[in-house]
Amino acid sequence: MSTEPRQIRLIMELRQLGISDAEVLGAIERVPREMFVPEQFRDQAYENTALPIGAGQTISQPLVVALMTQALKLGERMRVLEIGTGSGYQAAVLSHLCRRVYTIERHPTLLKEAEARFKELGLHNVTAMTGNGIAGWPEQAPFPRILATAAAVEAPPALLDQLDVGGIMVIPIGANASDQNVVRLTRREDGFESETLWPVRFVPMIGD
Ligand code: SAH
């Protein structure tokens, strides 16, 4: 699929906003965001904004997708767990940067639509399931990388448990929508190192 002028403009905008990782920009360039938004928002698909995707949920702003992906420091041989598949857009971006993406979504209808997109795009290294992401994916654990795209009051213990030593989890943390930050947790032998990265606004992780 050839890159549209609108998409090239978005990539240039992300670069100006400080996204310096060429691999992350390359992965974003490979994913046609218009396929992940409802018909009536297609004309805004390459604008740097979050958009509604149904079920009261949103596809994240491209800048936030880029920042969170960059913060994960992915390696091409890694397996990644994502909580909150939503439209599937973030998972599609991750799929170009790692070996396999496991993604969990609580809304069956959103998951079904996302899976259809993965299939249409030939993204065979994405495995998706309906469920409560707070419990993680024990059968596939541990993971070297975990990305949550819904906000929690604190990092769910099961997810911390399922992170490899040396592994990284990126997760929006905050008591409410107006007070959330993306946090990067790195698991050490003796505990977790925590870095607060930037303020964000994500929908809540339900059942938290
Ligand atoms: N990554 C998505 C955007 C995420 S929006 C994209 O690229 O489009 C957050 C998503 O997390 C929503 O779809 C919501 O239904 C889901 N979610 C919220 N709590 C969850 C939970 N406990 N387990 C799994 N999914 C959850």
Side-chain angles (χ1 to χ4, degrees):
M1 193 175 307
S2 67
T3 312
E4 287 197 49
R6 296 184 296 165
Q7 192 166 11
I8 293 168
R9 260 203 318 275
L10 173 63
I11 300 293
M12 284 169 57
E13 189 177 343
L14 294 177
R15 205 178 276 139
Q16 276 159 11
L17 289 167
I19 303 303
S20 52
D21 189 322
E23 301 213 338
V24 171
L25 290 168
I28 289 174
E29 198 171 336
R30 288 173 72 181
V31 181
R33 192 167 182 259
E34 82 262 17
M35 274 183 58
F36 292 82
V37 303
E39 192 89 50
Q40 70 267 37
F41 296 113
R42 293 246 154 106
D43 57 332
Q44 298 173 60
Y46 296 104
E47 285 172 25
N48 186 21
T49 60
L51 293 167
I53 54 171
Q57 308 301 325
T58 54
I59 177 172
S60 309
Q61 183 191 359
L63 176 63
V64 172
V65 171
L67 284 167
M68 291 181 91
T69 306
Q70 197 168 259
L72 264 185
K73 302 185 193 169
L74 288 169
E76 62 182 13
R77 302 195 53 76
M78 288 178 176
R79 296 155 65 251
V80 182
L81 173 65
E82 181 197 27
I83 311 304
T85 316
S87 68
Y89 179 71
Q90 171 76 72
V93 170
L94 295 173
S95 78
H96 292 299
L97 295 165
C98 67
R99 183 152 61 86
R100 182 159 290 278
V101 181
Y102 295 88
T103 182
I104 309 176
E105 169 57 51
R106 61 185 288 277
H107 278 289
T109 50
L110 291 179
L111 190 86
K112 232 171 151 181
E113 289 169 15
E115 282 186 305
R117 295 176 181 124
F118 302 145
K119 196 165 174 203
E120 193 175 342
L121 289 170
L123 303 177
H124 302 299
N125 65 338
V126 182
T127 307
M129 75 163 177
T130 305
N132 186 351
I134 284 170
W137 198 318
E139 298 80 4
Q140 297 296 340
F143 298 94
R145 295 291 184 267
I146 299 177
L147 174 62
T149 62
V153 174
E154 53 184 35
L159 296 183
L160 292 173
D161 265 1
Q162 290 174 28
L163 191 62
D164 276 327
V165 172
I168 293 175
M169 168 153 56
V170 172
I171 178 169
I173 299 277
N176 54 62
S178 59
D179 177 28
Q180 275 177 21
N181 287 287
V182 170
V183 173
R184 175 164 57 199
L185 300 166
T186 305
R187 185 166 194 172
R188 304 290 182 209
E189 293 284 355
D190 56 353
F192 291 86
E193 183 185 312
S194 169
E195 300 161 87
T196 299
L197 302 180
W198 0 262
V200 275
R201 224 169 229 275
F202 271 89
V203 298
M205 197 181 285
I206 306 292
D208 159 39

